[in-house]
Amino acid sequence: MGKKTRYTVIGAGNGGKAMAAHLALMDFPVTLYNRTPEHVAAIKTRGGIELESYESGPHGFGQLALVTSDMGEALEQADVIMVVVPATAHADVAKATAPYLRDKQIVLLNPGRTGGALEFTQVLRQCACAANVTVAEAETLIYASRSEGPVQARIFRIKDAVPLAALPATRTPRVLEALAPAFPRFIDGVSVLHTSLNNMGAIFHPALTLLNAGRIESTGGEFQFYINGVTPSVARVLEVLDRERVTVAAALGIRARTGLEWLRMAYDATGTDLHEAIHNQSGYRGIKAPPTLNHRYITEDVPMSLVPIAALGQRYGVRVQGMDSIIRLACIIHQTDYWRRGRTINKLGIEQVSVGEAMRYVMEEW
Amino acid sequence: MGKKTRYTVIGAGNGGKAMAAHLALMDFPVTLYNRTPEHVAAIKTRGGIELESYESGPHGFGQLALVTSDMGEALEQADVIMVVVPATAHADVAKATAPYLRDKQIVLLNPGRTGGALEFTQVLRQCACAANVTVAEAETLIYASRSEGPVQARIFRIKDAVPLAALPATRTPRVLEALAPAFPRFIDGVSVLHTSLNNMGAIFHPALTLLNAGRIESTGGEFQFYINGVTPSVARVLEVLDRERVTVAAALGIRARTGLEWLRMAYDATGTDLHEAIHNQSGYRGIKAPPTLNHRYITEDVPMSLVPIAALGQRYGVRVQGMDSIIRLACIIHQTDYWRRGRTINKLGIEQVSVGEAMRYVMEEW
């Protein structure tokens, strides 16, 4: 084996802290970057992060090589740059990294939501970044995790078989290879349009939140989000949104997983519809609703998940009226234009292209 | 005084029973019609309805002149026909009455929701009804009432100042005059477009129900509908729908009451927005949510209130995206096309007319 892969983790939220500590505990050299120095001051002082975990999971003190808020310093030694920030920050991270990226570096968005790698690449291009970097996105964050203090992180679960794709997809094998020593659970996600259109959060999060808006806001989220929140009627809305998503994918020539297929895969769920499948398995038990509507289930998943899927639908001729309704209600509730702020076709860099051209763009070396 | 006005009440739901009993207790000759004989069998046997009421309100046994399921018999003696059925049944009632209506009879829809008198008139026309009847609509049901048994009704409140309009509005004074001995609380509502566009249920009911869908369905409606259901974010949606309604009215040259103005008028509510106004007064306390989503707040108020307002908006150039979103979600949840089933412009008989022509149609003698 050659030299250990050097990781830089961008973002010190609960996911970023869990990942940095986990990598460090696996003996990889890890740099942790956070834009705001105060947010990582305690980690810098301690020199690392205390990781707790499920039984037999990774745990202990993960010693970090560097903790910094200087992007140049953060990227200088990196082989792989793990971006673990809300998708609403991807464009800013791209801008911030553009001057410092070097040939052969890999950037992985954990996760990309919908269109993450496409937008990141488009921003690098706009910033005239000439480095031959490989941008990739994961379909979901590989951890279920939480942060319980400034230098703490806790991993509840490391997910099996998380699909990942590079842009273009010809580069996915080299990304998987670079990550394999640390993360053998990443698998080939075919293309960034596949990982983007298999984003289940787009379907589950905003609609479930909005159709329980009154209850979330009047109780502070004191109820079981999926078990109480997904009623037969709410599930019907989720199913329509899911069908719209799968239809948008089909218009692009992509066979996306249905929500039901995903539940069967992720949780071994049984049942003939989403309502049954969500209620027939234990994975959702105990998960509380968000305490407020000002939550990433809307603020991130509407502009970064639903809007790009709906935008692809509009561009390629698929009616997405259910998605439109949910996006519109989110705009009203948050008094903002999630269409304008969201990942529309122009931000993905595929505004003027046909379906065939879009597919070649994500699949073939440029 | 001349001969007592003879009333026929069509519909033996809680409102119809309260009205029939109240009229009978005021000594008017009253016929009660219900399509299904079984529903009024007990009343027919008893010969009337037992009315209970708030303190000092009307109460006692209201003896009816006739209880029937034969429309010809029901209308034969009537001066005033009070239609007290869900708006979804207005077209059927119009069809059923068309062969029997006579000159000078008055038909009042209690209430019309949106476009009731317009649709009723259009159906009479399609049935080639030649009688010179006056069709009118009330803005709301004059009672807050409930039915507690087959021959019982209970009135909680008789509302003040309920606007009413005839089609055309030139006939409103004669309707008010005919009703005045029994119902001095009806006032002139200017035109049926005014009463239709001041329909507050269109704004409050469907959106409030849908944004609490998960809670209604998982608790069976065991929470306070307005007090717990109208949170700041839910109120923002209501305000956007309300603004769309007032804008549609403005496009027709009508100054509709805002929801806030209506709350101030109806409940003396204080507050600077709908959230404050609804929470700052006691009228909504104790009102429970509907026990299921299969409730007139959606099944009636979407097709008969929201759809016609949205349809007027589309016809006369007002964007009604908030209403569209709510209608769309209702269609998904009930797996039906509320647009097709609803009161669209063609059903109102004003499909091909300009704003000026529409206004003349509702205001001036034909």
Side-chain angles (χ1 to χ4, degrees):
Chain A
M1 285 251 313
K3 199 162 56 72
K4 285 247 172 188
T5 305
R6 289 160 305 186
Y7 281 90
T8 290
V9 174
I10 293 184
N14 70 72
K17 286 198 283 186
M19 188 175 278
H22 183 203
L23 284 165
L25 284 164
M26 290 189 281
D27 267 345
F28 293 96
V30 179
T31 293
L32 178 64
Y33 167 91
N34 200 78
R35 187 179 51 181
T36 311
E38 292 72 32
H39 287 181
V40 283
I43 298 173
K44 192 164 182 156
T45 304
R46 285 285 304 279
I49 294 164
E50 196 66 56
L51 184 67
E52 294 182 275
S53 196
Y54 55 93
E55 203 171 347
S56 83
H59 57 91
F61 186 74
Q63 182 95 36
L64 302 177
L66 179 67
V67 179
T68 180
S69 294
D70 176 326
M71 189 62 91
E73 193 176 52
L75 299 193
E76 204 174 353
Q77 302 291 327
D79 299 311
V80 174
I81 299 152
M82 298 295 252
V83 178
V84 196
V85 300
T88 44
H90 283 166
D92 284 343
V93 170
K95 260 182 225 140
T97 57
Y100 307 110
L101 287 168
R102 288 180 292 99
D103 287 355
K104 295 195 184 163
Q105 284 182 323
I106 289 169
V107 176
L108 179 64
L109 307 179
N110 292 278
R113 303 295 171 200
T114 297
L118 287 164
E119 184 188 37
F120 201 98
T121 300
Q122 179 73 352
V123 173
L124 291 185
R125 198 173 280 142
Q126 285 160 353
C127 294
C129 172
N132 182 16
V133 295
T134 296
V135 178
E137 66 179 32
E139 199 179 290
T140 179
L141 181 59
I142 197 163
Y143 305 110
S145 59
R146 186 192 292 166
S147 176
E148 291 164 333
V151 298
Q152 274 81 39
R154 175 185 290 276
I155 292 175
F156 293 103
R157 192 161 71 91
I158 302 180
K159 294 175 196 164
D160 280 332
V162 173
L164 155 169
L167 178 64
T170 42
R171 299 182 178 197
T172 302
R174 91 176 62 154
V175 175
L176 288 172
E177 193 186 352
L179 292 168
F183 299 109
R185 296 180 182 208
F186 280 120
I187 61 170
D188 189 333
V190 185
S191 85
V192 296
L193 282 173
H194 288 74
T195 49
S196 287
L197 287 164
N198 278 321
N199 174 5
M200 293 299 155
I203 303 311
F204 287 177
H205 295 159
L208 182 48
T209 302
L210 288 171
L211 295 171
N212 287 282
R215 189 174 202 176
I216 288 170
E217 219 163 17
S218 67
T219 67
E222 283 298 319
F223 64 98
Q224 293 203 54
F225 194 43
Y226 291 89
I227 301 305
N228 302 139
V230 180
T231 62
S233 295
V234 172
R236 273 201 287 282
V237 175
L238 302 184
E239 278 175 351
V240 166
L241 299 179
D242 197 51
R243 192 158 59 235
E244 289 179 355
R245 178 184 61 81
V246 170
T247 307
V248 171
L252 284 155
I254 292 170
R255 166 72 174 86
R257 265 191 304 280
T258 66
L260 200 54
E261 288 168 342
W262 180 81
L263 283 166
R264 286 177 184 146
M265 191 190 74
Y267 295 102
D268 279 326
T270 59
T272 59
D273 58 28
L274 282 183
H275 182 254
E276 278 185 24
I278 285 169
H279 285 260
N280 277 357
Q281 51 85 25
S282 60
Y284 285 123
R285 279 189 210 138
I287 299 181
K288 275 198 188 164
T292 153
L293 297 177
N294 195 9
H295 187 273
R296 66 180 176 84
Y297 285 174
I298 294 181
T299 58
E300 181 180 6
D301 279 313
V302 170
M304 301 294 142
S305 301
L306 262 190
V307 162
I309 297 174
L312 286 166
Q314 292 179 352
R315 175 68 183 81
Y316 297 111
V318 177
R319 271 157 63 109
V320 287
Q321 292 183 301
M323 293 188 183
D324 276 342
S325 299
I326 295 297
I327 294 167
R328 182 61 45 196
L329 289 174
C331 291
I332 291 171
I333 280 181
H334 284 155
Q335 299 180 289
T336 190
D337 186 347
Y338 279 125
W339 274 105
R340 189 178 51 71
R341 293 170 54 166
R343 280 182 181 148
T344 40
I345 292 287
N346 57 323
K347 292 186 187 162
L348 303 182
I350 51 173
E351 196 172 11
Q352 306 289 343
V353 307
S354 70
V355 166
E357 289 166 332
M359 201 43 73
R360 273 203 301 283
Y361 174 59
V362 301
M363 293 301 289
E364 298 172 15
E365 202 66 27
W366 307 326
Chain B
M1 286 249 314
K3 196 163 58 71
K4 285 249 174 189
T5 306
R6 290 160 304 185
Y7 282 90
T8 290
V9 174
I10 293 184
N14 70 73
K17 286 198 283 186
M19 189 174 277
H22 182 202
L23 283 164
L25 284 164
M26 289 189 283
D27 267 343
F28 293 96
V30 179
T31 293
L32 178 64
Y33 168 91
N34 199 79
R35 188 179 50 180
T36 312
E38 293 71 32
H39 287 178
V40 283
I43 298 173
K44 192 163 181 155
T45 305
R46 285 284 306 279
I49 294 164
E50 196 66 55
L51 184 66
E52 294 181 276
S53 196
Y54 55 94
E55 202 171 346
S56 84
H59 56 92
F61 187 75
Q63 182 94 37
L64 302 177
L66 180 65
V67 179
T68 180
S69 294
D70 176 327
M71 189 62 90
E73 192 177 52
L75 300 193
E76 205 174 353
Q77 302 290 326
D79 298 311
V80 175
I81 299 152
M82 297 296 251
V83 178
V84 196
V85 301
T88 43
H90 283 167
D92 283 344
V93 170
K95 260 181 228 141
T97 57
Y100 307 111
L101 287 168
R102 289 181 292 97
D103 288 355
K104 294 196 186 162
Q105 284 181 323
I106 289 170
V107 176
L108 178 64
L109 308 179
N110 292 277
R113 304 294 171 201
T114 297
L118 287 164
E119 184 188 38
F120 201 98
T121 300
Q122 178 73 352
V123 173
L124 291 185
R125 198 173 282 142
Q126 285 160 353
C127 295
C129 172
N132 183 15
V133 295
T134 296
V135 178
E137 66 180 33
E139 198 178 292
T140 179
L141 181 59
I142 198 164
Y143 305 110
S145 60
R146 186 192 291 166
S147 176
E148 292 164 331
V151 298
Q152 274 82 39
R154 176 185 289 276
I155 292 175
F156 294 103
R157 193 161 70 90
I158 302 180
K159 295 175 196 164
D160 280 332
V162 174
L164 155 171
L167 178 63
T170 42
R171 299 183 178 196
T172 302
R174 92 176 62 153
V175 175
L176 288 172
E177 194 186 354
L179 293 168
F183 299 108
R185 296 181 183 207
F186 280 120
I187 61 171
D188 189 332
V190 185
S191 86
V192 296
L193 282 173
H194 288 74
T195 49
S196 287
L197 287 164
N198 278 321
N199 173 5
M200 294 299 155
I203 303 312
F204 288 176
H205 295 159
L208 182 48
T209 302
L210 288 172
L211 294 171
N212 286 283
R215 190 174 201 174
I216 288 170
E217 220 164 14
S218 67
T219 67
E222 282 299 320
F223 64 97
Q224 293 203 55
F225 193 43
Y226 291 90
I227 301 305
N228 302 139
V230 180
T231 61
S233 295
V234 172
R236 273 201 287 283
V237 175
L238 302 184
E239 278 175 351
V240 165
L241 299 179
D242 197 51
R243 192 158 60 238
E244 289 179 355
R245 177 184 60 81
V246 170
T247 307
V248 171
L252 284 156
I254 291 170
R255 166 73 174 86
R257 265 191 305 281
T258 66
L260 200 55
E261 286 169 344
W262 180 81
L263 283 166
R264 287 179 183 143
M265 190 189 78
Y267 295 102
D268 278 326
T270 57
T272 58
D273 57 30
L274 282 183
H275 182 254
E276 278 185 25
I278 284 169
H279 284 261
N280 278 356
Q281 52 86 24
S282 60
Y284 285 123
R285 278 188 210 138
I287 299 181
K288 275 198 188 162
T292 152
L293 296 177
N294 195 9
H295 187 273
R296 67 180 175 84
Y297 286 174
I298 293 182
T299 57
E300 181 179 7
D301 279 313
V302 170
M304 300 295 141
S305 300
L306 262 190
V307 162
I309 297 174
L312 286 166
Q314 291 178 352
R315 174 69 182 80
Y316 296 112
V318 176
R319 271 157 62 109
V320 287
Q321 293 184 300
M323 292 188 184
D324 276 341
S325 300
I326 295 297
I327 294 166
R328 181 62 44 196
L329 289 174
C331 292
I332 291 171
I333 280 182
H334 283 154
Q335 300 180 288
T336 190
D337 187 346
Y338 279 125
W339 274 106
R340 188 179 52 73
R341 293 169 54 166
R343 279 182 182 149
T344 41
I345 292 287
N346 57 322
K347 293 188 187 160
L348 302 183
I350 52 174
E351 196 172 11
Q352 307 289 344
V353 307
S354 69
V355 166
E357 288 166 332
M359 200 44 71
R360 271 203 303 283
Y361 174 59
V362 301
M363 293 301 291
E364 297 172 15
E365 202 65 28
W366 308 324

